[in-house]
Amino acid sequence: MDQTTASLVVVVTMFLMLGAGVWVALALAGVGFVAMALFTARPVGMVMATNIWGASTSWTLTALPLFIWMGEILFRTRISSDMFKGLAPWTGWLPGRLMHVNVIGCSIFAAVSGSSAATAATIGRMTIPELNRRGYDQMMTLGSLAGAGTLGLLIPPSIIMIVYGVAADVSIARLFIAGVIPGIVLTGLFMAYVGGWSLLNPGRVPPPEPPQSFGEKIRDTGALIPVMLLIAAVLGSIYVGIATPTEAAGIGVLGSLVLALATGTLSWATFRDSLFGAAHTSCMIGFILAGAAFLTVAMGYTGIPRLLAEWITTMQLSPAALLVALTAFFIVMGCFLDGISMVVLTTSVILPMVQQAGIDLLWFGIYIIIVVEMAQITPPVGFNLFVLQAMTGKDIFTIGKASLPFFILMVVMVALLWVFPGMVTWLPSMMIG
C-alpha cells in the first residue's frame, strides 16, 4: 500500500482508539504498532522495546518529576494567601483594581509551578472568594483567572516545555529562557484588557479600598520575598549557566521544602501528598512520552512525515500561511485533547513540515505552547475550565464564554511573535554557558 493509504489508516486508527477511551499513551503506541506491522517489514517488537526503553531512560526527563514535585509542594503551602496580601496594596490605583491580582498572581505562581491547572487552582482558591466578597464582576473574575492561569505553561519552568524539548530535541534551558519575554508580554496584554474593560464598565467595578500608608504597603509586600527568591534561584541558575534544568529543578524542590517549613505548612501529610501527586503526574507524562517516542520512529519507517513535508513543499505555502493553517488545526484539536497530548501526538508529523518551511524550532516551541494555552480554555476539553467549574459550580460553557476575550488575546500574541521573532530568540542568545 502507498503512503497516502498508510496516512489514512494511521489517522483513522488514532481517532478510533482515542474515541474508544483508550489511554493516550497506549493509543500512541498502538498506532505506531499498526503502522509498522502493516506498512513496514521491520521487527515491530524489537523496535518498540528499544525506543520505549530509550525514551524512558533519557536523562533530560529527570527535570520533569522534580519541577512537578516543586509545584505540588508549593500548591500545599501558604504561598497563595501571602501573594494576595503582598500584591493587593499595589493594584488599587490601576483600572480594574484587585482583578489584576488574578493576572499578576498567576504570572508569579507560574514561575514556580509549571502547570496551568495548578496555577489556576491555587490562585483561584485565593482570589475568587475575596473578589466575590468585594463585589467584583464574576464573569471578568472567572475569565481573567482562566486566561491568566494558562501562563503556567509559558512562564518557565514549564512542564510542557520539557515535553516539547524532549520530543523535538530542543534545549530545555533555551526554551525556559525563551518563554520569559513572551510570558511578560502576554501578562501585559491581559492586564491591559482588564484595565480597558474596567474603564468602559465603571459601574461593574466596586469602589476603591481604604488607602494604606506607604509603610503598610512595604510591610505587606514582604510576603512576596520568599517566592521571588525561589524564582530567582531556579531561573537565575539556568540563565547564568551554573545549573542545568535538572539541577535547577533540584534547587527548586529544596527551596520549596524550606519555604513550606518556614511558613509552618510542611507536615508529614503534605509531604506525602505532594510526593504521591508528583509521582502520579510524572508517570502519566512519562508513559505518554514513551508511546510518542515509538510512534515517532514508526512514522519515520512508514515515510509519512516525509510525504507530508513534500506535500507542503508542492503547495508552496509561505511560512506565515503554514502557521495560520497549523493554528486553526491546533485550536480544533484543543477542543478534544489536553495540551501534552496535543504536543506528543503531532510533533512526529508536524516538525518535519516546520523544518521544511525554515521555521526555527526554538521559536516554534514557544508558538506551540501559546496555541496549547488556547486549548486550556476551549470547551468541551479545557483543563482550566474544569478547574474553575469544580471551584465555582458554574457551567463549563459559561466559563468558556468569560474566557473568550483572553483566548483572542492569545491569538494576538501569536501574531506578535510572528512580527517580532526576537521576542523569543533574543534572550536565549544572550545566555551564559
Side-chain angles (χ1 to χ4, degrees):
M1 287 185 279
D2 62 16
Q3 290 172 331
T4 304
T5 306
S7 303
L8 183 61
V9 169
V10 165
V11 171
V12 170
T13 304
M14 178 67 75
F15 276 103
L16 285 175
M17 296 187 80
L18 292 175
V22 177
W23 289 354
V24 172
L26 292 178
L28 291 169
V31 171
F33 184 91
V34 168
M36 285 199 68
L38 292 181
F39 306 112
T40 74
R42 301 283 181 174
V44 183
M46 186 174 71
V47 173
M48 176 185 284
T50 55
N51 280 279
I52 287 180
W53 174 257
S56 303
T57 56
S58 168
W59 174 250
T60 309
L61 278 178
T62 53
L64 184 68
L66 289 172
F67 276 126
I68 293 172
W69 191 18
M70 182 180 77
E72 289 283 344
I73 294 167
L74 293 175
F75 178 72
R76 291 165 172 81
T77 65
R78 214 178 61 207
I79 187 174
S80 57
S81 57
D82 286 348
M83 282 172 53
F84 190 92
K85 180 182 177 183
L87 291 172
W90 301 101
T91 59
W93 64 275
L94 293 170
R97 300 190 183 94
L98 293 184
M99 274 193 290
H100 290 286
V101 175
N102 269 351
V103 180
I104 302 173
C106 283
S107 66
I108 292 175
F109 193 79
V112 290
S113 167
S115 165
S116 172
T119 299
T122 304
I123 301 302
R125 188 170 58 187
M126 165 188 73
T127 60
I128 289 175
E130 289 292 331
L131 295 179
N132 287 344
R133 183 174 65 82
R134 287 170 164 84
Y136 283 85
D137 184 80
Q138 194 172 47
M139 289 292 281
M140 177 54 73
T141 299
L142 293 176
S144 60
L145 188 58
T150 65
L151 293 169
L153 300 181
L154 181 60
I155 295 178
S158 162
I159 293 168
I160 204 165
M161 282 184 183
I162 299 175
V163 172
Y164 174 81
V166 172
D169 195 24
V170 175
S171 165
I172 293 171
R174 288 173 63 81
L175 276 170
F176 278 3
I177 302 304
V180 171
I181 294 177
I184 293 172
V185 172
L186 189 56
T187 300
L189 286 176
F190 288 163
M191 291 182 66
Y193 174 75
V194 169
W197 178 90
S198 302
L199 291 174
L200 294 173
N201 300 275
R204 297 167 72 177
V205 180
E209 302 283 318
Q212 286 183 293
S213 68
F214 185 74
E216 290 174 327
K217 290 182 178 181
I218 293 296
R219 188 183 65 246
D220 288 346
T221 305
L224 293 175
I225 292 175
V227 68
M228 299 307 292
L229 288 176
L230 183 59
I231 294 169
V234 173
L235 296 184
S237 62
I238 296 174
Y239 183 78
V240 300
I242 62 174
T244 66
T246 302
E247 292 163 347
I251 294 171
V253 169
L254 180 62
S256 61
L257 286 171
V258 171
L259 187 58
L261 184 63
T263 56
T265 52
L266 182 62
S267 63
W268 171 248
T270 56
F271 180 84
R272 180 197 60 211
D273 291 346
S274 68
L275 195 57
F276 284 174
H280 179 271
T281 305
S282 301
C283 289
M284 176 193 71
I285 296 173
F287 194 19
I288 290 173
L289 285 173
F294 173 60
L295 176 62
T296 300
V297 173
M299 291 296 97
Y301 279 127
T302 60
I304 292 174
R306 187 179 68 252
L307 175 69
L308 284 171
E310 292 171 353
W311 179 59
I312 292 293
T313 303
T314 58
M315 289 178 66
Q316 296 185 334
L317 283 178
S318 66
L322 175 62
L323 287 174
V324 169
L326 287 177
T327 302
F329 169 71
F330 280 121
I331 288 173
V332 172
M333 283 191 69
C335 294
F336 306 101
L337 293 173
D338 66 279
I340 290 174
S341 300
M342 284 172 59
V343 172
V344 296
L345 280 169
T346 57
T347 48
S348 59
V349 174
I350 285 176
L351 288 185
M353 302 187 324
V354 170
Q355 289 174 301
Q356 185 79 25
I359 296 172
D360 178 55
L361 289 186
L362 178 68
W363 182 93
F364 187 74
I366 302 302
Y367 155 81
I368 201 172
I369 287 166
I370 293 175
V371 177
V372 165
E373 283 185 329
M374 301 179 197
Q376 299 293 105
I377 55 174
T378 52
V381 181
F383 272 51
N384 284 19
L385 304 185
F386 290 153
V387 169
L388 294 178
Q389 183 185 35
M391 293 175 67
T392 64
K394 295 286 185 181
D395 177 74
I396 193 169
F397 290 98
T398 300
I399 303 172
K401 180 182 176 182
S403 61
L404 180 61
F406 297 89
F407 177 92
I408 295 171
L409 289 174
M410 292 180 205
V411 177
V412 172
M413 185 66 204
V414 169
L416 288 176
L417 284 186
W418 176 250
V419 177
F420 305 105
M423 209 186 300
V424 173
T425 57
W426 177 75
L427 199 55
S429 70
M430 303 295 290
M431 284 178 66
I432 301 172

